[in-house]
Amino acid sequence: MSPPRLTGALRSFSNVSRQEDFTEEVYDLKAKRLKRQERFSREGLTWQKIVQFFTQHLEKKEQQTATQELKNILQAAKQIVGTDFGQEAIESAAVFLFKTFYSKDQVGHEETRAIKQMFGPFPASAAEASCAAVGKVVAQVGESLVEAFVQTQSSSKTPDRGEPFGRNIAFSFDTYVLDSQDTLPWLEESEEERGLDF
Amino acid sequence: MAGARVPLDERHVTEIGPKGKERSLPALHPERKEERSFLPYKPPLEDGSPAQVEEFLEHAQFISEDLEWLLSLPHDKFWCQVVFDESLQKCLDSYLRHAPRGLDPALLSSSPAVADMHRSLHRSMFMVFLRMATHKESKENFLTPAVFGEIIYNNFLFDIPKILDLCVLFGKGNSQLLHKMIDNIFTQQPSYYGDLDDTVPSMIQVLDMILEKCGLQTGGACANEPLKLTAHNPHAAMTMNEEDLVDLVLYLCDTCSTIHSFLDIFPKACLTFHRHGFLYRLVSFYEVLIPELEKAVKKRNFDKNLQEDLWRRVSHSRRRMVEIAHLILHHTCLQPILEGSENIAASVEDLLQSFTAFLQEKRFLVDYDEEFPVGDDISLLQQAFPHLDDTRTSYLLQGVESAWESLGRRKPHPVLPMTSHQGAE
C-alpha cells in the first residue's frame, strides 16, 4: 500500500480532480490477455492461410505428415487456451505458436515469456509439443520460404509507426531522496528546556 | 488527411468506415481511438515472492509496451487515444498515485529485473505527460492553443494533484522540462490558477489535520486564526501508537517535499499560496509541531533504524518548510523589489510584515535565518529602497538576535547590515 500522500488528500478534499467512477471497467491481466489475443487474431496471418501455404508448397505424399503436425499444433494450442472461447481462439493461438516457433529449435526463456504474456500460465508440455511440431512442418518446406510467408502476411495489416515521441529527449532518473545534509545533529539536551524566554 | 499547417482540431480525415465505405471524420474523433485496454499501474510489492515479482513484471511489461505504442502513434492518433481512452487516463493516474517516490520508506524491491522494468516505465510515463503538455509538436502537428487548453482541462488530463505528483516524481532531474510543461499548461488554460486557488485551502487543511492528530489544534481553524493553546492533548505525539506516529511523519515529509518541489519548479504559484496566508500558517505550524515531533522521535522507545529514519524525515521536513517560506518570500516580495516593479513599496511592506510575523515564531525564525540570513535581505532592501524606516529594520534585526539567544543557539554568521551581500538567493 502507498504511504499517506498530500496529493491523495487533495484528491479527496478538493473538487479539482475527476471523481472516480467505480462502475467503469478496470482491466486486469486476464482481460488484457484476451484483448491482446483479439488484436493478434486481426493482424493478418490466419490458421487457414498457414494450412493453405503448406498445401500449396508440399507434394501430396508429404501433405499427410504436414497435416498431422498442424493438428499437433492445434492440439497444443487447445491445451494452452482451453475450449471456453471456441475454435477461433484455438486457431488464433495456433497461429501465435507457429509464429513463435517457426525459427526456433527449442522453447527458450523468451518464448516462454511471450506465450505466458499472451495466454497466462500454460502447460510446458504443450509448448514443447508445439515447438517440435512447428519444427517438423517447417523443415518440410524450408525455413526461408516460411520466413518470407510469415513476414508478408504479418506486415499486411500492421500500421506504419513512427519514431517514438521523446526518443531524443534527455531524461534524468534522479529523484528526491532524504539528503543526509538535511539531517540535523541529534542533541540530547531538549531545546524546549533551554529555550524558555520570558 | 487535410493539408498541413492546419491545427489538428480543425482537420478532417477520410477513412474506411465499419461498413467498408469511405467517410470523413474530424481528426479528433472517438471512433478513431483504438481499443487498447491500458492496465492500471500497481507498484511492486516490497519483498514480494517470486510469483508476485513475475506478476508485477508481466503487468508492467503490458503497460510499458502500450506506452511505447502510444508514443509511436502519429500526432492525431495520439490525441484521439489520450482524449477518448478512459483506460489510458486511469493508467496514467494510477502511476502518479502509486508509483514509489524516492522518499518512500521502502523503495523498489532488490530485483534488478524489477528495477529495470520500473526505469523503463518511469521514462515512458514522463514522455506521455510531456507529449500531453505540448500543444505544438512540429510545424505540421499542433493544436490551437485555446483548444489545447480546453482539452487538457475538460478531460482532466492534468489537474492540480497530478501536477504536484509530476513534480515530486520527476522534478529532481527534469526540473527545466517540467517547468516548461507546467508553465505551458497554466498559460494555455488559466483556469488552473483558479483550481490552485481552490486547492491551497485544502493544503492548509492538511497542515491543520496533522496538528490535530498531534493534539495541537482542535480543528476548524482558518488560515488567519492563531493556533489554540488549549488543545485536547498537547503531547499526543508522545502517546499515540507507533504506527500512527510513523504515518504522521511520512505524511509530513511527503507534504513538505511535494509543496516544495512544486513551488521550486513553478514559482508563479507562490503568489496564490501567499494570497491565502499560507506562509503564516506554515510558520506557526512549524513552530508548534516540530518541537513536539522531535521530542517524540527522540524520547520514545523505537527500533534504532526506525528512529534514525524518522529523525531524518523530520529534519528533511524542517528544511523543506524553511525553503518553502523562502521561495514564497523570494518570488512574491524580494523578486519584485529587485526587478523594480511598480508596487515596490507594497512588496517592501509585505516583506517587512512577514519578517515581523516571524519574530513570534522563534524556532522557525532561527532556522530560517540560519539558512537565509534575514540581515542579508534587510541590507538588500536598504539599497533597493532607501526610504526604509531604520527603526523598523533595527527592531527586526534585534528580534532575530534575540531569537537566537533565547534558544541558546549560536549564530554562524553575525548580522552586518549595510555591508556587501550575496543577494536574495
Side-chain angles (χ1 to χ4, degrees):
Chain A
M1 207 172 102
S2 306
R5 287 184 180 145
L6 170 71
T7 49
L10 297 182
R11 284 182 173 98
S12 309
F13 296 161
S14 61
N15 57 353
V16 295
S17 302
R18 189 199 293 265
Q19 293 306 304
E20 275 197 75
D21 182 355
F22 294 101
T23 60
E24 274 178 23
E25 190 174 5
V26 174
Y27 296 97
D28 57 12
L29 274 179
K30 204 173 165 186
K32 182 69 185 170
R33 285 192 198 109
L34 284 176
K35 284 277 172 194
R36 181 179 261 237
Q37 288 167 37
E38 274 175 37
R39 212 170 50 245
F40 177 78
S41 68
R42 294 194 300 265
E43 272 182 10
L45 186 57
T46 63
W47 187 245
Q48 277 69 32
K49 285 179 185 171
I50 292 174
V51 172
Q52 205 177 8
F53 170 80
F54 284 103
T55 312
Q56 283 170 356
H57 289 83
L58 290 172
E59 297 289 330
K60 273 216 165 148
K61 56 182 178 183
E62 294 168 321
Q63 278 177 17
Q64 204 179 350
T65 323
T67 307
Q68 185 52 49
E69 296 306 340
L70 291 173
K71 271 187 190 168
N72 289 344
I73 300 171
L74 270 181
Q75 185 57 33
K78 198 172 177 178
Q79 284 178 31
I80 290 173
V81 291
T83 50
D84 291 356
F85 301 102
Q87 186 63 15
E88 206 180 323
I90 296 171
E91 287 186 1
S92 174
V95 174
F96 182 82
L97 293 172
F98 184 83
K99 277 182 83 169
T100 305
F101 291 123
Y102 78 87
S103 60
K104 301 284 186 309
D105 298 331
Q106 56 184 1
V107 186
H109 181 69
E110 269 301 297
E111 293 75 41
T112 306
R113 195 184 63 82
I115 299 172
K116 183 153 183 272
Q117 201 165 17
M118 183 65 99
F119 306 108
F122 64 92
S125 59
E128 295 289 349
S130 62
C131 181
V134 171
K136 283 179 194 164
V137 76
V138 167
Q140 285 188 283
V141 291
E143 198 181 309
S144 55
L145 205 58
V146 175
E147 167 95 39
F149 163 70
V150 170
Q151 291 304 323
T152 318
Q153 293 296 324
S154 303
S155 60
S156 63
K157 285 201 175 175
T158 310
D160 287 341
R161 281 173 55 183
E163 193 176 273
F165 175 91
R167 195 177 169 179
N168 299 317
I169 296 175
F171 176 78
S172 165
F173 289 95
D174 262 9
T175 182
Y176 294 107
V177 288
L178 288 178
D179 193 339
S180 57
Q181 284 185 334
D182 289 344
T183 308
L184 295 161
W186 181 286
L187 303 170
E188 287 304 334
E189 192 183 352
S190 160
E191 285 190 355
E192 194 179 51
E193 287 152 17
R194 286 185 289 127
L196 297 174
D197 176 31
F198 297 103
Chain B
M1 192 173 288
R5 309 289 168 97
V6 175
L8 177 62
D9 42 284
E10 290 176 19
R11 273 193 242 158
H12 278 72
V13 292
T14 306
E15 283 186 347
I16 307 291
K19 290 177 184 168
K21 282 187 177 176
E22 273 201 353
R23 59 178 182 169
S24 177
L25 285 175
L28 267 179
H29 192 279
E31 283 181 32
R32 300 194 67 217
K33 169 197 84 167
E34 297 215 16
E35 283 305 325
R36 194 73 191 186
S37 320
F38 284 80
L39 289 176
Y41 168 83
K42 288 178 188 165
L45 290 173
E46 175 193 350
D47 301 325
S49 66
Q52 285 168 326
V53 167
E54 204 177 329
E55 188 180 330
F56 167 80
L57 288 174
E58 189 183 3
H59 198 101
Q61 178 73 27
F62 273 126
I63 300 176
S64 183
E65 284 175 9
D66 284 344
L67 294 181
E68 281 303 307
W69 168 82
L70 180 71
L71 289 166
S72 301
L73 287 178
H75 186 248
D76 58 329
K77 288 280 201 176
F78 171 82
W79 278 99
C80 286
Q81 209 68 31
V82 157
V83 174
F84 303 116
D85 188 344
E86 290 286 334
S87 73
L88 167 59
Q89 287 311 319
K90 278 188 186 296
C91 169
L92 298 175
D93 190 45
S94 60
Y95 188 78
L96 294 181
R97 286 171 188 244
H98 304 300
R101 279 90 164 112
L103 290 158
D104 282 354
L107 265 176
L108 294 176
S109 81
S110 50
S111 155
V114 170
D116 283 350
M117 176 57 77
H118 217 276
R119 279 168 72 86
S120 161
L121 256 189
H122 193 58
R123 188 185 189 282
S124 301
M125 286 282 176
F126 180 76
M127 291 304 162
V128 172
F129 281 106
L130 177 60
R131 199 175 186 188
M132 290 199 308
T134 307
H135 68 280
K136 188 173 181 183
E137 221 168 86
S138 65
K139 281 180 184 169
E140 289 78 26
N141 296 314
F142 62 97
L143 284 154
T144 308
V147 177
F148 165 77
E150 276 174 33
I151 288 175
I152 58 169
Y153 190 74
N154 296 344
N155 294 288
F156 294 92
L157 302 190
F158 292 97
D159 59 31
I160 300 296
K162 284 183 182 181
I163 292 170
L164 292 170
D165 282 328
L166 284 170
C167 288
V168 80
L169 273 170
F170 300 103
K172 171 79 173 165
N174 305 282
S175 58
Q176 286 185 336
L177 265 178
L178 260 178
H179 171 77
K180 281 188 184 171
M181 284 165 66
I182 299 172
D183 197 48
N184 194 43
I185 290 168
F186 275 77
T187 304
Q188 308 308 340
Q189 180 51 273
S191 300
Y192 281 111
Y193 280 108
D195 282 1
L196 184 61
D197 211 40
D198 290 343
T199 312
V200 175
S202 300
M203 294 188 194
I204 293 173
Q205 206 178 331
V206 166
L207 302 186
D208 287 342
M209 206 169 68
I210 292 175
L211 285 182
E212 212 171 315
K213 290 215 165 174
C214 286
L216 295 167
Q217 191 186 43
T218 49
C222 73
N224 299 319
E225 278 178 32
L227 294 176
K228 291 178 182 172
L229 297 173
T230 52
H232 295 312
N233 177 6
H235 303 296
M238 288 297 288
T239 53
M240 69 173 69
N241 77 47
E242 187 178 305
E243 207 177 316
D244 286 346
L245 181 63
V246 171
D247 269 0
L248 195 80
V249 173
L250 287 173
Y251 196 31
L252 172 74
C253 189
D254 178 77
T255 299
C256 298
S257 302
T258 304
I259 296 175
H260 176 264
S261 65
F262 175 58
L263 294 180
D264 192 34
I265 288 162
F266 187 58
K268 282 184 190 169
C270 287
L271 198 59
T272 309
F273 277 70
H274 199 38
R275 272 204 305 268
H276 282 275
F278 187 83
L279 182 60
Y280 302 121
R281 291 296 300 154
L282 181 77
V283 169
S284 53
F285 170 80
Y286 183 103
E287 192 74 7
V288 176
L289 180 78
I290 291 298
E292 277 304 313
L293 272 189
E294 286 187 348
K295 193 167 79 179
V297 172
K298 275 181 176 179
K299 306 266 178 190
R300 288 183 60 161
N301 196 15
F302 289 112
D303 164 78
K304 195 75 187 157
N305 289 336
L306 176 62
Q307 191 173 32
E308 277 174 16
D309 183 68
L310 292 179
W311 180 253
R312 290 175 69 200
R313 285 177 192 281
V314 174
S315 300
H316 175 91
S317 307
R318 277 178 69 158
R319 175 69 73 101
R320 296 293 89 82
M321 281 190 268
V322 165
E323 288 173 350
I324 291 169
H326 181 255
L327 278 170
I328 294 176
L329 279 182
H330 180 78
H331 291 285
T332 59
C333 306
L334 277 168
Q335 200 163 294
I337 295 167
L338 294 173
E339 288 170 354
S341 73
E342 285 178 16
N343 288 326
I344 194 162
S347 298
V348 169
E349 181 55 33
D350 196 3
L351 185 65
L352 291 177
Q353 270 190 16
S354 299
F355 284 150
T356 309
F358 290 179
L359 293 181
Q360 298 169 46
E361 321 287 5
K362 291 188 168 53
R363 283 184 182 83
F364 173 82
L365 179 61
V366 167
D367 289 341
Y368 181 90
D369 188 55
E370 187 170 18
E371 197 69 28
F372 306 103
V374 174
D376 286 357
D377 289 342
I378 299 283
S379 171
L380 200 74
L381 280 187
Q382 284 168 331
Q383 291 176 53
F385 196 70
H387 309 295
L388 208 59
D389 178 357
D390 279 348
T391 319
R392 203 166 168 197
T393 52
S394 301
Y395 170 73
L396 274 177
L397 292 173
Q398 277 169 17
V400 174
E401 289 298 306
S402 149
W404 279 93
E405 280 167 24
S406 69
L407 293 184
R409 284 168 60 177
R410 290 186 63 184
K411 204 170 177 169
H413 316 287
V415 180
L416 297 170
M418 292 303 291
T419 57
S420 62
H421 53 77
Q422 299 166 314
E425 283 285 27

